[in-house]
Amino acid sequence: MQNLLELNQPALAQFFAQLGEKPASVKMRAKQTLKWLHQSQVTDFSAMTDIAKATRELLAANAEIRDLNVIRDSTASDGTRKWLFDVGTSAVDAVFIPEDDRGTLCISSQAGCALDCSFCSTGKQGFNRNLTVAEIIGQLWQANNALGAVHGDERVISNVVLMGMGEPLANFEN
């Protein structure tokens, strides 16, 4: 099963082509699907009502939308919220920092860090692996859901910062 959270628009168009979608409509299908995934965070293919029923059935048979499992979710007295996510081989953190004029989500790009900076406790833990696209996007997905901003115009998270565990540019591709 293909996790659609791993695919950008060109890769999703290619996936639709592999499923046998007509060449003239693969770009449109990819754009529609990404809108459902990332603007509405819909996980049920049957709810993607502007996509042809036959295409939704193909998606249901060949794809999934798999986000991260939350190990721990805690909120501090100042409203800062921290999640610990299971990424299989280890766990990673994401932190939401609310302010009057913005909401910043700090997400992880790696499990551990290979740089071993003398001032950083994450570096002392060692390096496990780079996170996948779906694991990185999944942190934002979970935070949006937990904060109640998953439908269109609601934007609790205004900024995303690639920090937390790891060195983002060491996992630039994902």
Side-chain angles (χ1 to χ4, degrees), residues 38-94:
H38 299 298
Q39 289 182 6
S40 301
Q41 289 191 248
V42 169
T43 59
D44 179 2
F45 296 118
S46 66
M48 298 179 181
T49 54
D50 64 346
I51 297 175
K53 185 177 180 183
T55 303
R56 287 183 274 159
E57 290 170 354
L58 270 175
L59 283 171
N62 296 284
E64 63 184 347
I65 302 164
R66 184 179 62 251
D67 58 4
L68 298 173
N69 292 321
V70 178
I71 297 171
R72 186 174 44 239
D73 179 349
S74 58
T75 305
S77 60
D78 67 354
T80 299
R81 193 159 176 185
K82 183 176 180 180
W83 295 272
L84 184 65
F85 297 110
D86 179 1
V87 291
T89 55
S90 61
V92 297
D93 293 316

Side-chain angles (χ1 to χ4, degrees), residues 85-160:
F85 297 110
D86 179 1
V87 291
T89 55
S90 61
V92 297
D93 293 316
V95 178
F96 175 70
I97 305 164
E99 297 180 76
D100 291 339
D101 60 341
R102 65 180 171 222
T104 301
L105 181 68
C106 299
I107 61 175
S108 298
S109 62
Q110 297 177 310
C113 185
L115 297 184
D116 194 23
C117 299
S118 61
F119 57 85
C120 180
S121 64
T122 302
K124 300 297 180 209
Q125 297 172 22
F127 177 71
N128 192 325
R129 67 179 176 83
N130 286 326
L131 297 184
T132 66
V133 171
E135 290 167 335
I136 295 168
I137 295 292
Q139 295 169 72
L140 177 60
W141 255 59
Q142 289 286 1
N144 268 329
N145 279 319
L147 297 168
V150 294
H151 302 290
D153 296 333
E154 300 172 44
R155 289 192 60 156
V156 175
I157 298 169
S158 58
N159 303 314
V160 176

Side-chain angles (χ1 to χ4, degrees), residues 14-30:
Q14 183 178 4
F15 179 69
F16 277 115
Q18 292 169 350
L19 291 178
E21 191 72 28
K22 295 176 186 172
S25 63
V26 295
K27 285 183 182 179
M28 179 187 68
R29 291 289 182 238

